[in-house]
Amino acid sequence: MKNLPVLDLSIIALYLLAMILVGVYFSRKNKSADQYTKASGKIPGWAIGISLYATFLSSNTFLGVPGKTFGSNWNVFVFSISMPFAAWVAAKYFVPFYRSTGEVSAYTNLEKRFGTWARTYAVTCFLLTQLVRMGSIFFGISLTLQALTGYSMEMIMLVTGVCIVVYTVMGGMEAVIWTEVFQGILITVGALIIVYLLVSNMPGGVSKIVEIGNNDNKFSLGSLSLDFTTSTFWVILLYGFFINLNNFGMDQNYVQRYHTAASAKEASKSVWLCVWIYAPASLIFFIIGTCLYAYYQVHPELIEPVKLQAAAERLGAGASSFDISSLAAILKPSDYGDKVMPYFMVTMIPAGIVGLILSGILSAAMSTISSGMNASATVFSEDIYKRFYKSDINEKQNMRLLHLATIVFGLLGMGCGIAMIGVKSILDIWWELSGIFAGGMLGLFLLGIISRKTGNLEAFAATVIGILVVVWASLSYMIPDDYAYLRNPLHANMVIVIGTLAIFLTGTILTKIKSLAK
């Protein structure tokens, strides 16, 4: 692959500099922890909604969804279809609940409800989820920029990571939200430009893309059979509902934004605005994946460098050109899907426009990572440091703690990104790991909200059982073949579903048993 022209590199450099200057601008306002974490509750609902949209629309969407669609079909779009159902629950119950507590942390109430252990467990799950998410996004953006610039993935993560850390530490939540508003618009425009270029360069235009897509079943949303062992329509719908319920109801990234709104009504509006923008906008990325597939079906010779690169990476150093060519000839589209978008960008998009689109991808990555860093730092400050070490710290000490924690979580996110180098699909690794960490956390939260009679002991027992179920569901593939009947037969995306239900139903049953025993 050829490297980026100086013009495109200059545009990217200017964008990174602009983000740092945004942090400098907002740093003048950050004189208190309330301003740093909640923007003093003065952000309009529409801006929060676009900010939530930008958080959803990470570089995992920009790169992972077209790559996944190129290698399979539109099955993953069912995730977007599930969002309105979760949003309804969030707007009706979760947002008013959090606004009424006044607590900036999403997990303080769990301690009031069940005890210290519940808060600690939820905080641990959240922080692990954030590290995985930041790592997957660092990995995705470095994979793209490596293909386009030739620099190592580690170097790219370091440079982009430093820029993100600087503007997040200096700017706080207000800088995060307003830059996400700009970033959400920029990445959407970039995606539309790619669609236009693909269609205009495609012989036969839209009709040919639709013809190839129909012939190869590229528009399928998955099987409608009640099969939960493969990625059917129902598996993705259930996964999407539960993970979005976790996002809107338990994820500090979202809960913290509810407190930046002027009122509960504005906060609820922001949830619905996020959904109504994200659902159709995400469709653009599925269209891109299908267009890429059709384009390279018409021009199969143009995709050969990508297949050779994927084969070389699989075989490793020292592989012969014959072995690489032989493997490349039998690779399936799913084996190199994540590499296709960067390749198209550098080979088919004019200089200057590539820089703008890459800035859009960078903006999506930066918005999600900066949001995760700020939320993780807030949780560390409120739920760990102040709770277990020292609660009576002054404003200056609190700000210093938040700044330091933001830096540490940014560095840990980069470390996770480096550890992910070599994974096959960005989207798959993120979905699988987030489902593992989020399952128990959501189940415990729902138990506390819905089952008001459940006590500390029942909740603790239910959580232990739920954790065991999640561990079994996630790791049972390691069981030897002689005991294959003990493995989890369900699809990996069902982990969050069975983990959540295991905790909620066990806690409810134990509560019923306790009440009958009295």
Side-chain angles (χ1 to χ4, degrees):
M1 297 186 186
K2 65 182 182 180
N3 291 335
L4 283 179
V6 174
L7 176 60
D8 293 308
L9 290 173
S10 300
I11 291 173
I12 294 171
L14 287 173
Y15 174 78
L16 292 174
L17 178 61
M19 290 300 99
I20 293 175
L21 292 177
V22 167
V24 172
Y25 173 78
F26 282 104
S27 65
R28 300 175 300 173
K29 296 184 177 183
N30 287 316
K31 306 301 180 183
S32 68
D34 185 68
Q35 172 64 29
Y36 189 82
T37 59
K38 298 193 291 186
S40 298
K42 296 179 179 178
I43 306 296
W46 65 266
I48 300 170
I50 297 176
S51 171
L52 290 171
Y53 159 68
T55 300
F56 265 102
L57 198 64
S58 66
S59 57
N60 284 354
T61 302
F62 204 112
L63 301 169
V65 168
K68 188 73 174 172
T69 308
F70 179 89
S72 56
N73 51 34
W74 285 21
N75 178 226
V76 178
F77 182 64
V78 180
F79 177 91
S80 300
I81 296 175
S82 73
M83 286 183 68
F85 303 103
W88 182 84
V89 176
K92 187 172 179 62
Y93 300 105
F94 294 161
V95 173
F97 170 76
Y98 284 118
R99 292 285 305 196
S100 66
T101 65
E103 301 284 354
V104 68
S105 169
Y107 314 113
T108 305
N109 182 68
L110 283 175
E111 180 172 6
K112 296 177 181 178
R113 185 71 176 81
F114 295 128
T116 305
W117 69 268
R119 183 180 186 177
T120 303
Y121 170 67
V123 166
T124 302
C125 287
F126 169 74
L127 292 178
L128 288 173
T129 303
Q130 287 310 296
L131 290 177
V132 171
R133 187 178 198 187
M134 288 189 287
S136 67
I137 293 168
F138 268 121
F139 167 72
I141 194 62
S142 64
L143 180 69
T144 301
L145 291 179
Q146 181 198 40
L148 300 177
T149 65
Y151 294 117
S152 70
M153 294 178 72
E154 293 85 354
M155 177 61 69
I156 293 168
M157 287 188 204
L158 179 62
V159 173
T160 55
V162 167
C163 293
I164 295 171
V165 167
V166 169
Y167 103 79
T168 306
V169 168
M170 299 183 71
M173 180 52 73
E174 189 169 7
V176 169
I177 289 177
W178 285 113
T179 53
E180 283 180 337
V181 170
F182 169 74
Q183 291 162 347
I185 296 170
L186 179 60
I187 194 172
T188 306
V189 171
L192 291 172
I193 291 173
I194 291 176
V195 171
Y196 169 76
L197 291 171
L198 277 164
V199 172
S200 61
N201 282 284
M202 179 72 181
V206 174
S207 59
K208 186 64 176 179
I209 294 170
V210 172
E211 177 189 337
I212 294 174
N214 281 329
N215 291 339
D216 292 353
N217 202 32
K218 285 294 176 178
F219 300 112
S220 171
L221 295 178
S223 170
L224 291 176
S225 64
L226 293 176
D227 177 9
F228 299 101
T229 62
T230 60
S231 187
T232 61
F233 177 93
W234 304 111
V235 166
I236 302 301
L237 187 70
L238 284 171
Y239 171 82
F241 175 73
F242 277 85
I243 204 71
N244 282 316
L245 206 59
N246 179 78
N247 288 338
F248 288 130
M250 281 292 291
D251 193 320
Q252 181 68 22
N253 285 291
Y254 300 84
V255 173
Q256 196 165 331
R257 281 170 172 74
Y258 301 156
H259 293 290
T260 66
S263 65
K265 185 177 181 181
E266 285 293 298
S268 295
K269 283 182 179 179
S270 71
V271 172
W272 281 114
L273 180 60
C274 166
V275 172
W276 298 136
I277 297 176
Y278 180 83
S282 66
L283 183 63
I284 299 171
F285 297 93
F286 290 91
I287 293 172
I288 289 174
T290 304
C291 288
L292 285 168
Y293 178 83
Y295 180 80
Y296 287 116
Q297 286 293 303
V298 173
H299 301 290
E301 72 284 355
L302 298 180
I303 200 66
E304 283 304 310
V306 176
K307 297 170 69 175
L308 290 171
Q309 183 188 14
E313 289 177 358
R314 281 198 175 194
L315 294 173
S320 68
S321 58
F322 175 79
D323 290 334
I324 292 173
S325 298
S326 299
L327 178 58
I330 61 173
L331 287 178
K332 297 178 293 185
S334 58
D335 294 324
Y336 52 90
D338 281 345
K339 299 179 183 297
V340 175
M341 173 83 99
Y343 176 72
F344 176 82
M345 288 170 62
V346 77
T347 55
M348 297 301 298
I349 298 179
I353 296 179
V354 175
L356 291 173
I357 294 174
L358 275 176
S359 295
I361 299 176
L362 265 175
S363 72
M366 293 177 75
S367 66
T368 308
I369 293 172
S370 62
S371 175
M373 287 165 55
N374 188 285
S376 298
T378 301
V379 166
F380 178 81
S381 171
E382 296 293 324
D383 297 298
I384 298 179
Y385 190 87
K386 291 182 183 179
R387 175 62 183 82
F388 296 106
Y389 295 98
K390 190 177 181 181
S391 59
D392 57 338
I393 59 176
N394 59 40
E395 203 65 63
K396 185 176 180 181
Q397 291 171 326
N398 200 7
M399 289 297 292
R400 189 183 302 121
L401 173 63
L402 287 167
H403 289 161
L404 181 60
T406 302
I407 294 170
V408 169
F409 281 108
L411 295 175
L412 289 174
M414 279 187 266
C416 288
I418 292 172
M420 289 181 184
I421 293 176
V423 301
K424 183 178 177 181
S425 171
I426 309 170
L427 204 61
D428 284 346
I429 192 71
W430 160 237
W431 276 25
E432 187 170 340
L433 291 176
S434 64
I436 291 171
F437 294 135
M441 182 168 60
L442 178 60
L444 180 61
F445 178 78
L446 293 177
L447 190 63
I449 292 292
I450 298 174
S451 183
R452 301 303 300 175
K453 294 183 179 180
T454 300
N456 181 22
L457 184 61
E458 300 88 72
F460 181 77
T463 301
V464 170
I465 292 172
I467 292 173
L468 292 175
V469 170
V470 169
V471 170
W472 165 76
S474 306
L475 302 179
S476 63
Y477 69 90
M478 300 172 65
I479 295 175
D481 291 340
D482 292 342
Y483 303 96
Y485 60 90
L486 296 175
R487 294 173 183 165
N488 172 26
L490 301 177
H491 190 271
N493 287 342
M494 290 294 292
V495 170
I496 186 175
V497 179
I498 61 178
T500 299
L501 293 178
I503 291 179
F504 180 75
L505 294 177
T506 301
T508 303
I509 292 170
L510 291 176
T511 302
K512 291 288 185 183
I513 293 173
K514 180 182 177 181
S515 63
L516 290 173
K518 289 183 177 180

